[in-house]
Amino acid sequence: MSAEQLAAVTSGYAFDGPALDLGALVVDGSAVDPSAPIRVPLAMLNRHGLVAGATGTGKTKTLQVMAEQLSAAGVPVFLADIKGDVSGMAVAGEANDKITARMREMGQEWTPTAYPAEFFTLGGRGTGTPIRATVTSFGPILLSKVLGLTDVQSSSLNLVFHYADKKGLPLLDLKDLRSVIQFLGSDEGAEELKSLGGLAKQTAGVLLRELIAFSDAGAEDFFGEPEFATSDLLRTTPDGKGVVSVLELPGVVQQPALFSSFLMWLLADLFQDLPEVGDPDKPKLCFFFDEAHLLFKDASKAFLESITQTVRLIRSKGVGVFFVTQTPKDVHPDVLAQLGNRIQHALRAYTPDDAKALKATASTFPKSAYDLEEVLTQLGTGEAIVTVLGEKGAPTPVAWTRLRAPQSLMAEAPAALLEENTKNSPLYSKYAQAVDRESAYEMLLARLNPQVTTPEQGSYPQGGPQAPAPKPTKAAKQDPGMVEQVLKSRTTQNLIKSAAAAAGAAIVRSIFGTARRAKK
């Protein structure tokens, strides 16, 4: 690298405001110049970013380095923990010869530090506070992605949600959704949907079969109440540090679409609830979306449009989103165009497809002094090609960077610490116990037996001079045959009309189809 190029890089990363230290510039392919630190302005992190690279090149440690400094700056962070080792953020790191030599070479300080962390699991699987969503809130677009529905089937599912929203039938869990689909697929339900085009019995059957298979795979655990309030991701400690929310996702291989869609639900829910803040001095939250390729795989046009719009607009809510994957090609071009901060780890070119991906990746960077197609295959573990948005919003020079080592533990936290952290969390008592309150399923069952009670509401009012029947057992309540009887009951329409009148609040859906019940 010439003296002129070195000066350009050095001045390009010399920011006046607070910034995260990513590492230092690599010169001549091996040596590090400590006088040329590579940084990213804190105020530019809500312009989103991409952390990419082949497996084993150090992406996870890069996330850890960024999350540590964000936390120290008072910015809450959300991280998905695919492999389990991100949990080490709650434990101070351990010094060794490699870390000492690396940080001395870069001329940067390194102090073992533990960071405030909150641990979550989806539906209570694993160690952490459970995160659940109601089916109503999750919405038809995300659920269609999870179920792998065709466009026609997705349109029909959207009609089911529309009907439930308008009629005041809460869809809290999967059995609620199944019961409404069964009703709308019946002759009586068809009358209700005449003006909207109707739901074909064949399509209703497909939806029910997909939902049953979905439930059998364990998805029932992820839907229900209490629903997670995404505002709980925006927490700071009394001393002003941002809390790092770590979501354990050990089963991503078994249910990849479900996990990626749940992450998107969290992001969409944040977008819907947060106020506009413009361009703050620092983000309100940084959201790291790991295994991002799962989100875009087999995505429908409507799904992609919703992702693009959410990412484009959430910046003004103060949320920065970093997609983490192997190559930029994994991210849809409309989304990739919005990612101003780029950290690209090494790529491998073992196959013709790898070579194409390498060439495409190199073409997405600004013009530089490097032969990026060559350099990207030469990067060592913990090195990356970096370009970010400077304080004026212009891209910085492309820089071959040796990245800092995390100051927290670069391994999984001890199980005992995770359990203690979870049990002592104020969020655990808020979300640990699942609740099954009155919803669409119970409303339909109530017409079969007017004396059915719930802990919240007591006896339902009798709908006429019907003789009271014995209270159904738990097993009978879940019997599909009984549900089918209720759905075909001639009194069901009256129930739905009364439920709609009692709803008291409209469902407001975002651009992503997610929903919150509007406050009175």
Side-chain angles (χ1 to χ4, degrees), residues 256-295:
L258 175 62
F259 291 133
S260 62
S261 297
F262 247 93
L263 296 187
M264 196 66 226
W265 172 75
L266 291 172
L267 194 60
D269 196 73
L270 282 164
F271 169 76
Q272 186 168 346
D273 286 355
L274 291 176
E276 296 278 344
V277 295
D279 287 315
D281 293 337
K282 61 182 181 182
K284 296 182 70 172
L285 173 73
C286 271
F287 192 105
F288 290 90
F289 206 125
D290 209 350
E291 299 294 336
H293 66 283
L294 299 175
L295 184 67

Side-chain angles (χ1 to χ4, degrees), residues 6 86 100 131 177 181 211 241 278 328 336 343 353 361 365 375 397 399 416 429 505:
L6 176 61
V86 178
T100 301
I131 288 182
L177 181 57
I181 293 173
L211 286 170
K241 291 183 179 179
L336 186 64
I343 302 174
D353 286 342
T361 298
F365 280 86
V375 170
S429 58

Side-chain angles (χ1 to χ4, degrees), residues 1-331:
M1 176 174 284
S2 67
E4 184 180 352
Q5 292 168 338
L6 176 61
V9 172
T10 303
S11 62
Y13 289 89
F15 308 122
D16 295 328
L20 306 189
D21 289 316
L22 298 177
L25 181 69
V26 174
V27 294
D28 300 327
S30 58
V32 175
D33 188 342
S35 68
I38 304 302
R39 312 162 74 213
V40 53
L42 193 59
M44 289 292 112
L45 290 175
N46 69 331
R47 303 296 181 93
H48 311 318
L50 176 73
V51 179
T55 301
T57 55
K59 296 191 300 294
T60 301
K61 302 314 167 195
T62 298
L63 307 188
Q64 198 167 338
V65 164
M66 296 178 70
E68 290 175 350
Q69 295 181 66
L70 285 164
S71 175
V75 178
V77 177
F78 173 86
L79 287 172
D81 191 4
I82 305 294
K83 295 175 288 186
D85 50 359
V86 178
S87 61
M89 288 205 62
V91 183
E94 299 174 355
N96 57 46
D97 293 342
K98 283 187 176 181
I99 290 176
T100 301
R102 187 185 194 91
M103 299 308 295
R104 183 187 302 118
E105 182 183 33
M106 291 192 290
Q108 298 181 9
E109 295 182 0
W110 187 89
T111 305
T113 308
Y115 295 86
E118 183 83 43
F119 299 99
F120 296 97
T121 63
L122 282 185
R125 294 186 181 183
T127 303
T129 297
I131 288 182
R132 302 180 188 88
T134 64
V135 172
T136 284
S137 176
F138 200 71
I141 297 177
L142 288 172
L143 195 56
S144 293
K145 174 68 162 60
V146 170
L147 297 176
L149 301 182
T150 66
D151 289 344
V152 172
Q153 293 161 356
S154 298
S155 177
S156 297
L157 184 63
N158 192 71
L159 180 62
V160 173
F161 273 79
H162 173 80
Y163 180 82
D165 290 351
K166 294 301 181 184
K167 296 297 183 179
L169 294 173
L171 305 177
L172 304 185
D173 51 31
L174 294 179
K175 72 178 185 296
D176 289 322
L177 181 57
R178 290 196 300 266
S179 66
V180 174
I181 293 173
Q182 283 180 301
F183 167 68
L184 294 178
S186 69
D187 293 338
E188 196 169 356
E191 290 294 320
E192 291 279 326
L193 287 181
K194 247 181 188 178
S195 62
L196 300 176
L199 177 65
K201 290 185 178 182
Q202 184 178 4
T203 302
V206 171
L207 294 178
L208 289 171
R209 288 193 295 273
E210 292 292 341
L211 286 170
I212 289 170
F214 190 43
S215 298
D216 289 345
E220 292 277 8
D221 297 338
F222 305 133
F223 294 97
E225 291 187 315
E227 181 176 85
F228 183 70
T230 49
S231 57
D232 285 329
L233 298 177
L234 306 176
R235 298 164 59 221
T236 56
T237 62
D239 61 353
K241 291 183 179 179
V243 173
V244 181
S245 298
V246 180
L247 176 62
E248 180 184 354
L249 294 177
V252 69
V253 175
Q254 287 74 34
Q255 293 177 304
L258 175 62
F259 291 133
S260 62
S261 297
F262 247 93
L263 296 187
M264 196 66 226
W265 172 75
L266 291 172
L267 194 60
D269 196 73
L270 282 164
F271 169 76
Q272 186 168 346
D273 286 355
L274 291 176
E276 296 278 344
V277 295
D279 287 315
D281 293 337
K282 61 182 181 182
K284 296 182 70 172
L285 173 73
C286 271
F287 192 105
F288 290 90
F289 206 125
D290 209 350
E291 299 294 336
H293 66 283
L294 299 175
L295 184 67
F296 299 96
K297 183 180 180 182
D298 300 325
S300 67
K301 182 179 179 181
F303 191 82
L304 291 172
E305 288 174 350
S306 298
I307 296 174
T308 302
Q309 195 168 2
T310 300
V311 172
R312 180 183 295 123
L313 298 178
I314 203 170
R315 178 183 69 81
S316 63
K317 305 289 185 89
V319 177
V321 184
F322 279 75
F323 291 92
V324 186
T325 188
Q326 294 203 6
T327 77
K329 286 186 66 178
D330 294 336
V331 180

